[in-house]
Structures are given as structure tokens and as C-alpha cells.
Amino acid sequence: MATALLPDDIRSEPLTKALAERYLAYALSTITQRALPDARDGLKPVHRRILYGMRLLRLDPNSTFKKSAKVVGDVMGSYHPHGDQAIYDALVRLAQDFAVRYPLVDGQGNFGNVDGDNAAAMRYTESRLTEAAGALLDGLDEDAIDFRPTYDNEGREPVVLPAAFPNLLANGSSGIAVGMATNIPPHNLGELCGALVAMIENPNLQDRSLLKFVKGPDFPTGGILVEDHAAIAEAYKTGRGGFRLRARWEKEEGARGVYQIVITEIPYQVQKAKLIERIAELLEQKKLPLLDDIHDESAEDIRIVLSPKNRTVDANLLMEQLFRSSDLEVRIPLNLNVLDKGQVPGVMSLKEALQAFIDHRHDVLERRSRHRLEKIRARLEVLEGYLAVFLNLDKVIKIIRTEDDPKPKLIKAFTLTDVQAEAILNMRLRALRKLEEMEIRGEHADLTKEHKELTRLLGSDKLRAEKLIAEVREIDAKFGGKTKIGKRRTEIAGARDIETLSALAEEAVELAAAVEKEPITIVCSEKLWIRAMKGHQEPSDAVKYREGDRERFWIQAQTTDKLMLLATDGRFFTLDCSKLPGGRGNGEAIRSFIDLPPEADIARMFVHVPGRKLLLAASSGHGFITNEDDAIAMTRGGKRVLNVKPGVEAMVARPVEGDSIAVVGDNRKMLIFPLSEVPEMARGQGVYLQKYKDGGLLDATSFVWKEGLKDENGRLFGPSDLKEWKGERAQAGRIVPQGWARSKKFAA
């Protein structure tokens, strides 16, 4: 029988407040528990839990491998109550030497490859910790960090790892949270260690001084960094920026002057198979005039072979063209957004990130030292008890043999503490030898000396700094530049090299612009799917569209033209006609080429004519004239030219021809006024062209007054027919002439 719901169980609350509170809680959870790494150990909770779980399974670097499924099961059951596949994906990434600069998991089996193939199922692969992971976990049992209850309150997990090396910058991190994201490329550990030592020795070190040590990112897949030195310095100073990374290639000479280009390293996080597929697609589309063929000869190492059209092709120019049109060159973003002390998200500079690591290591050093002191004090107390009774062992044995409760008698007879008496009673008989006394005295002396050293260490900032420097140099010796794993893989291009590359880039742009001129017909559907068909074709029912879609724009152009698009939010976008998708199929969504917001649409689409002027107008009735050349925007984000307020849309972009402007509104009223009354602007809202009580602007155009004006149906209205509609800008106008097109619009 159903239980009636008590009135007290119902709480009235505004929906907006309830949604805001719950979304805020979700956002906070995503930021702190999933997406952003901790500045101290550079790990997200899932990675930290994987390493801790593997440590409890005793999967040390020298131990045997265990099934990854066991690791995932233990981590999911005890620490991370999320999907097993999510945990396994995180574990796999920690083991991929092409994804992580210093792998934290040693994988055995198929853990994926640079082609983009996925790892085998977790039941087939095995794993254990690497030495780098061991360094992150070192000191975990020495009260170096805090622990917190697990999600089910049945165990404990570390809040942060002791982290003996700067994992945040060494391995990098990436993630997307609610309203924020992080993207930190990997760096060379040897360079980071040099910067850390310099900062410990001189805490007031300037940001620019760190660049003497940290040259730039060091990616596991190598490549060549071609970013300007000033841009690198600015990125590290602000925590935001980016780095241009190129593939490494070499020229292999053959017989009779024939050569081929071999790519030996590809950019970070670029899948080799997709890269080759993209270049082959460009080759098929005849967009790489200098390249003849591409094939993959890779085994364990990368070897992509490019064959030029002929022996006279400049290899540098060919590669520059490929860098511009494919992922052989990528831009790696830097967004050093991390959790400071595991709680507060914020963007740090390079210096601040290194300082956060140094502060953490200071805390770890102090906590480990105090923990060791407590252990020494406890041990010294026991040893002093041993020394007190060793000179009279017979009396000890007699008390133990004759007394039912020997502890109080021992304490009284030898002036012992409770701990000392308990330790003596727990000794084995074979430990009661005369020789043991010398060993105890030796251990007592060693511990007393260590106790004094630790006490001095905790009382001296200088000694703690020296200890930290020694720890950093120890890590440098294990993983730094002199080791196999620590050698820099990514080459930093010099200033002269970058200048040479810039000159080649300009030449490549000119070459790319030299596209063969061919007629095409651009078709864009109502739902913004675009394609370019060969030849100039007239609109036809033979052209098919996706279900529920239909024709919208039909434009005849040349492959050498640029296509301009005006969005309803007032932004212009420009597309290269030679790079539009072919006419087979339904084409591609126009949003895959430009960053058009979901709420925006395309108002106008036309072929760019250099030097032409455009009449721009919005639904509010505002408008102005602009130079079409100034509206070109080859970036995905476009260029905002017409400023529109909320609820207003850009409507018109027409070539300016003649001496008069005609405007018509939704209310069927038309107004004609001189072209000279409309200002020419590069950007803005413009002036009122026509005012309305109801509705808004529908269409606007320019024309020669003596030649008359045509409506959308092509009917011509002469000056004598239009004289009653002449007025001044910003007037309301009059109802359109009798016989005007029902659409109320002007001729295209």
C-alpha cells in the first residue's frame, strides 16, 4: 500500500534558484574532481587514485605485471566510483610513451599506437608502476601529505601525492570543465630541474630569467618548435598562449638528382593515419601542385615518404605548403589553469607553477622530517631502556621468572618508562647477548646524530633549501638531460630559422594562391550544407538535397574566387572557393568551416569583388556603406562589421551602384533617398535608413535614379513612377507602388 506523502516533505522553491544551486554544485565538482589538475602533483583525481591503487597492489617497477582489469576493478571499487572504461582510458594514457613525456605506468601488451588505434581490452593488457611514478609516491607512508576518507568512508586516499618531480609541467595536462579549461604541454624535466634550483637559490628570480633554463615545451613525439622567442616568453609570463610545432623531415637524395622527403617525427597528438589520409585527400583534390605521391613506410619509428612532382621542386617550398594545409604543423595551446593547493582554480605563470611545486616540496620535507623525528624519539626511548637493563640481565630474568606481573617491578627497579618496560618484555631470548649491547650503543649513537641533524634542518631555512636542491638534483640525475628518457626531443628553432621559414611561408601563400581557374557552381541549402559543382550550371531539380532540405543560394563562380558570407549576427566570413567540398553527395555543413553560433544564420552569400563597396542594413532599419575589402575575414571566427543589438539581425549586403538608395520594410512602405545621405564606415551600427512603428527593414538596395528601380519580379519602375517615394533618410516612406512584387523585395 502506498504511503501518503507528508506535507513537511514538500519544499517550495523557485525553479531558477533550484537550477542555479544544482548547476553550481555540478560545475564545482567538474572543476575540482575531474577536469583541472592539482598544481602540486600535476594529477587529476582519477590519475592519483590509479597510482595509489597500483601502489597498494605492490605493482612497483621491479615487481611482476598484473592484469589491468584488476587495477581498474580495485580503483573503481575502492576510490573512483565511475565507469571502468573511463578509468582504463586514463590508465592507458599514462602508459603511452607517445602521449606522456614521462610515462607513469609501464604497460605490457597493446596500449594503442600513434596511428590512433585503441588499446586492447583491459583483460588482455598488464601494467605496473614506472620509476617516475615511484618518485611521485615516495614518502606516502611518512606522513608527507594528508589523507581523506574514500567515497564510501571505508578507507582513505591521499589528497595529493608527495611528488618528487614537477609532474604538472613535465607531463602536462588537458581538460575541459564548466566555464573553464586547461591545456598544459609537456616539458623537459632536466630544464625544469635547472629552473627549480635557480628559484630555490634566488626566490626573486624574474620570469624572463627562467627562459635560460626552460626553452619551451618538449613533446614525446619530438618535432620542431617554430614559435617566436618573444611569444614564448609572453606565454610563460601570462600562463596563456600557444606554440607552433612542426614535423621533422629530411631530404634523401637518389640517383640523377631525384630525391624524396622523409618525415621522421610528427606533431604531438596528431594521429599518423589521419594525417596521411588528409594529405592524400588534398593530393586527390589537386591542392598540392608540388607533391606527386605519399606513402607510409613506418615500423616502430615514423617514416612517411613524400615524392615531389619532379627533381626541380624546392623541398623547402613543398614542405611549407604542406605545413600550411595539413597537420604537419599544429598550434599547441597553453592555458596554465590549475587548482592552487587543490582548491582554487586559476591561471598561473610558469614561475607561479614552479613556485607552487617548491612550496609543496617544502611542506613534504618538513612533514617527513617531523615524522622521522618522532620515529627516532620513540626508538631512542626503547634503546635507552635496553641499555639500562643490559648491565643487569640476571636481575631482569629473575623478575620475569618470579613475578606474575613483572612490568611494574621492572619500571621500579630500573626507573623505566612504560614503553621501555614493554619493549624489554617483548624481547626474544636470543637477543639477550652481551654482543647486542655494542650494536644497541652504535644504533643509539647513529640515531642521536640523525636526530640532531633533523632538528637543525627544521630550524634552518638555508639547510632546508639545500636539502630541496639536493632532492631536485637527484631527480635530475634519474630523469634529466643526461639520461636516455630525459634528452630533449623537440628542437627549438633559432631566430634566423624562423625568419627563413616566414619568407618561405609567404612564397607558399603565393603558390597556393596560384590555383587553376575553373568555373564552378556553389550550391548552399536552406540548412546550410554547401558544395561546389564543376562548371557553370543553372538551377535544376536534378540537384538533390538531404531529406527536409532545399535550395537557398545558387552562385556561379571561379575556383580562384573568394566567397563572402554575412551572418545575421553582423559578422562576415570568407571562404576560399578552391577549398569548398566537391559536388558529389550533399556537401558539408558550412559550420564545419566557420564558427557560426547556433542562434545565427547566413543572411547573404556572394562572390567577392575587390575594391567594391557594399550597402549593409539590419532589421532595425540601421545601415551604412563599407569597403568590401575591409570585410574580408579568412579566420574561422570571422570579422564583425555590422553591430546589431539583441533581437536585431543583419539583413542586407548589396553592391553599391548608382546615386540613390531604396529601402522597404515589412509594413510594405518604401522610401527612396540620395546615396550621399548614407555614411561610409569600416564598422558600426550605422544610421537610420528608414523608421518603422511596426515590423522592421525587409530589403535595401542602391540604383541609378534615371534608370529606374526593379522589383524582385524584374518589373521596372521609372523615375516618374517613383517620384512620390523620394524623401529624406530616416523617414517612414509610403506603401509600395501598385503592381509591386508581392515579396516586397528588390531585384537581386
Side-chain angles (χ1 to χ4, degrees):
M1 182 176 179
T3 304
L5 188 67
L6 297 176
D8 292 344
D9 295 334
I10 300 175
R11 177 166 56 93
S12 297
E13 188 174 275
L15 179 61
T16 54
K17 181 182 177 183
L19 287 176
E21 289 178 353
R22 285 155 179 78
Y23 192 73
L24 182 62
Y26 163 71
L28 186 63
S29 172
T30 303
I31 291 168
T32 59
Q33 296 298 318
R34 293 193 182 185
L36 300 189
D38 193 304
R40 296 168 291 181
D41 62 6
L43 296 172
K44 301 177 186 178
V46 63
H47 301 127
R48 192 177 299 117
R49 289 163 178 167
I50 288 172
L51 298 181
Y52 182 63
M54 293 180 73
R55 182 178 185 274
L56 294 185
L57 289 172
R58 300 184 184 279
L59 293 176
D60 302 320
N62 298 323
S63 67
T64 57
F65 291 90
K66 285 188 179 177
K67 288 287 187 183
S68 299
K70 180 173 180 61
V71 175
V72 171
D74 279 17
V75 171
M76 182 172 63
S78 301
Y79 311 109
H80 199 70
H82 300 279
D84 57 347
Q85 192 58 46
I87 298 172
Y88 183 54
D89 288 344
L91 184 148
V92 165
R93 178 173 170 77
L94 293 179
Q96 292 175 331
D97 58 3
F98 55 87
V100 183
R101 182 63 180 84
Y102 302 91
L104 303 179
V105 172
D106 186 6
Q108 184 168 269
N110 176 15
F111 275 81
N113 56 39
V114 75
D115 272 338
D117 297 330
N118 294 326
M122 67 182 81
R123 62 182 178 271
Y124 298 121
T125 62
E126 297 177 333
S127 54
R128 65 182 179 188
L129 295 171
T130 62
E131 289 189 9
L136 284 177
L137 295 160
D138 186 32
L140 209 58
D141 295 330
E142 300 175 29
D143 193 35
I145 45 88
D146 291 328
F147 282 77
R148 64 186 169 203
T150 55
Y151 72 94
D152 56 4
N153 288 318
E154 292 186 1
R156 298 191 315 150
E157 64 173 338
V159 174
V160 65
L161 297 186
F165 75 92
N167 181 64
L168 176 71
L169 292 166
N171 275 327
S173 184
S174 63
I176 300 175
V178 177
M180 60 179 62
T182 185
N183 209 312
I184 307 167
H187 292 75
N188 185 272
L189 186 57
E191 295 177 3
L192 294 174
C193 287
L196 287 170
V197 170
M199 283 187 63
I200 296 171
E201 292 176 339
N202 180 14
N204 297 321
L205 198 69
Q206 297 295 319
D207 289 86
R208 62 177 178 271
S209 299
L210 291 175
L211 297 182
K212 297 178 183 177
F213 305 96
V214 183
K215 308 297 183 183
D218 186 22
F219 300 99
T221 52
I224 302 175
L225 200 69
V226 292
E227 193 61 53
D228 181 70
H229 181 77
I232 294 176
E234 183 66 20
Y236 281 141
K237 184 177 180 179
T238 61
R240 295 184 185 274
F243 307 94
R244 279 197 303 150
L245 182 66
R246 288 187 165 187
R248 186 186 298 275
W249 61 278
E250 56 190 33
K251 183 178 177 182
E252 287 189 355
E253 300 287 353
R256 299 179 182 177
V258 177
Y259 73 90
Q260 62 183 15
I261 294 172
V262 179
I263 298 170
T264 56
E265 294 174 359
I266 60 176
Y268 182 54
Q269 292 181 331
V270 171
Q271 296 180 4
K272 176 164 65 70
K274 288 188 176 180
L275 171 67
I276 295 173
E277 182 181 344
R278 173 59 180 163
I279 294 175
E281 182 181 335
L282 292 171
L283 193 60
E284 185 179 352
Q285 294 173 357
K286 298 182 179 179
K287 295 180 180 179
L288 298 173
L290 302 181
L291 184 64
D292 183 59
D293 193 17
I294 178 173
H295 54 280
D296 187 9
E297 296 181 359
S298 304
E300 292 184 1
D301 297 329
I302 302 292
R303 183 178 169 84
I304 302 172
V305 180
L306 305 173
S307 302
K309 280 284 187 183
N310 53 61
R311 69 184 74 178
T312 62
V313 170
D314 186 334
N316 291 298
L317 193 57
L318 168 58
M319 289 305 300
E320 194 64 41
Q321 192 180 59
L322 284 168
F323 288 141
R324 291 186 58 83
S325 55
S326 74
D327 281 345
L328 285 175
E329 177 181 304
V330 297
R331 186 167 183 81
I332 306 293
L334 170 68
N335 183 10
L336 237 167
N337 193 6
V338 294
L339 295 174
D340 186 14
K341 296 182 179 178
Q343 297 177 341
V344 183
V347 178
M348 290 185 172
S349 66
L350 173 65
K351 181 180 178 181
E352 289 170 338
L354 292 172
Q355 189 61 52
F357 173 77
I358 292 172
D359 293 343
H360 176 56
R361 290 302 295 171
H362 267 292
D363 294 339
V364 169
L365 176 60
E366 288 187 13
R367 293 184 61 155
R368 291 182 72 178
S369 299
R370 296 187 192 282
H371 177 77
R372 180 60 181 162
L373 274 176
E374 290 300 319
K375 292 288 185 182
I376 291 174
R377 288 192 189 104
R379 183 59 179 166
L380 284 175
E381 183 180 358
V382 172
L383 292 176
E384 288 167 1
Y386 288 164
L387 291 172
V389 300
F390 258 114
L391 296 176
N392 205 341
L393 289 176
D394 293 338
K395 187 176 181 180
V396 173
I397 294 171
K398 182 179 179 181
I399 292 173
I400 294 173
R401 290 183 64 184
T402 58
E403 297 293 335
D404 293 334
D405 188 8
K407 183 188 287 188
K409 291 291 183 179
L410 283 173
I411 293 173
K412 184 178 180 180
F414 296 98
T415 317
L416 302 174
T417 64
D418 186 86
V419 173
Q420 290 171 335
E422 189 67 33
I424 292 168
L425 291 171
N426 289 332
M427 288 182 70
R428 294 181 180 179
L429 286 174
R430 62 180 170 182
L432 300 175
R433 325 183 258 118
K434 192 65 177 176
L435 184 63
E436 191 74 19
E437 182 180 359
M438 291 189 298
E439 294 180 3
I440 291 173
R441 288 190 182 280
E443 183 182 354
H444 186 277
D446 292 341
L447 290 178
T448 302
K449 180 181 178 182
E450 186 181 353
H451 186 279
K452 290 180 180 178
E453 291 175 350
L454 287 174
T455 304
R456 286 178 58 226
L457 178 71
L458 289 172
S460 171
D461 292 339
K462 181 181 178 182
L463 290 177
R464 288 200 302 275
E466 290 175 355
K467 179 66 175 176
L468 283 179
I469 289 173
E471 290 179 352
V472 170
R473 284 177 174 159
E474 184 180 348
I475 289 297
D476 189 20
K478 284 185 179 179
F479 309 104
K482 295 181 180 179
T483 64
K484 183 178 180 181
I485 192 175
K487 291 181 180 178
R488 172 167 274 280
R489 299 179 186 177
T490 301
E491 179 185 339
I492 308 293
R496 290 185 178 179
D497 294 332
I498 293 175
E499 289 179 7
T500 303
L501 293 174
S502 299
L504 280 170
E506 293 178 4
E507 193 173 346
V509 170
E510 294 176 1
L511 182 65
V515 177
E516 186 176 349
K517 187 175 182 180
E518 295 178 352
I520 55 172
T521 300
I522 301 169
V523 179
C524 183
S525 71
E526 191 70 32
K527 295 184 178 179
L528 300 182
W529 283 73
I530 194 169
R531 50 187 149 160
M533 301 184 296
K534 291 183 178 181
H536 283 168
Q537 302 181 26
E538 297 299 325
S540 168
D541 293 336
V543 177
K544 302 299 180 184
Y545 300 90
R546 296 165 64 90
E547 187 175 350
D549 205 357
R550 58 192 177 90
E551 175 193 325
R552 184 170 181 182
F553 297 106
W554 189 284
I555 301 170
Q556 294 181 348
Q558 303 288 333
T559 51
T560 52
D561 289 335
K562 296 186 186 302
L563 185 68
M564 298 194 69
L565 295 76
L566 173 63
T568 54
D569 64 359
R571 283 189 293 170
F572 270 99
F573 299 91
T574 309
L575 299 178
D576 190 334
C577 289
S578 65
K579 296 180 180 179
L580 294 176
R584 292 185 179 181
N586 299 308
E588 295 183 25
I590 208 166
R591 295 179 191 272
S592 64
F593 299 98
I594 58 175
D595 293 334
L596 184 68
E599 67 276 7
D601 196 3
I602 298 298
R604 299 284 175 172
M605 183 181 293
F606 53 90
V607 173
H608 168 58
V609 177
R612 186 169 63 177
K613 296 186 183 300
L614 294 176
L615 171 65
L616 305 182
S619 59
S620 60
H622 290 87
F624 61 91
I625 294 170
T626 192
N627 192 318
E628 189 173 319
D629 293 339
D630 295 336
I632 289 180
M634 298 302 292
T635 61
R636 289 182 61 93
K639 179 186 288 186
R640 188 172 298 281
V641 177
L642 182 61
N643 293 339
V644 294
K645 296 180 179 179
V648 177
E649 294 185 349
M651 301 281 291
V652 176
R654 285 181 180 267
V656 174
E657 299 172 348
D659 52 16
S660 301
I661 296 290
V663 188
V664 65
D666 291 324
N667 56 6
R668 291 183 59 81
K669 288 187 177 182
M670 184 172 73
L671 174 67
I672 299 173
F673 54 87
L675 176 68
S676 58
E677 295 184 10
V678 182
E680 185 171 334
M681 304 167 61
R683 175 182 173 178
Q685 178 178 293
V687 296
Y688 272 116
L689 304 180
Q690 185 180 17
K691 286 192 176 181
Y692 315 96
K693 288 185 179 180
D694 300 312
L697 181 143
L698 178 66
D699 199 4
T701 189
S702 61
F703 68 102
V704 178
W705 172 256
K706 291 182 178 180
E707 295 179 0
L709 178 65
K710 290 184 178 181
D711 65 8
E712 191 175 45
N713 294 336
R715 182 178 176 181
L716 178 65
F717 291 79
S720 59
D721 302 322
L722 300 173
K723 60 183 179 180
E724 296 182 10
W725 281 265
K726 287 194 73 173
E728 295 180 354
R729 179 182 60 78
Q731 291 181 339
R734 302 181 56 174
I735 298 296
V736 294
Q738 187 173 1
W740 192 266
R742 288 189 177 182
S743 67
K744 298 170 282 185
K745 292 185 178 182
F746 304 111

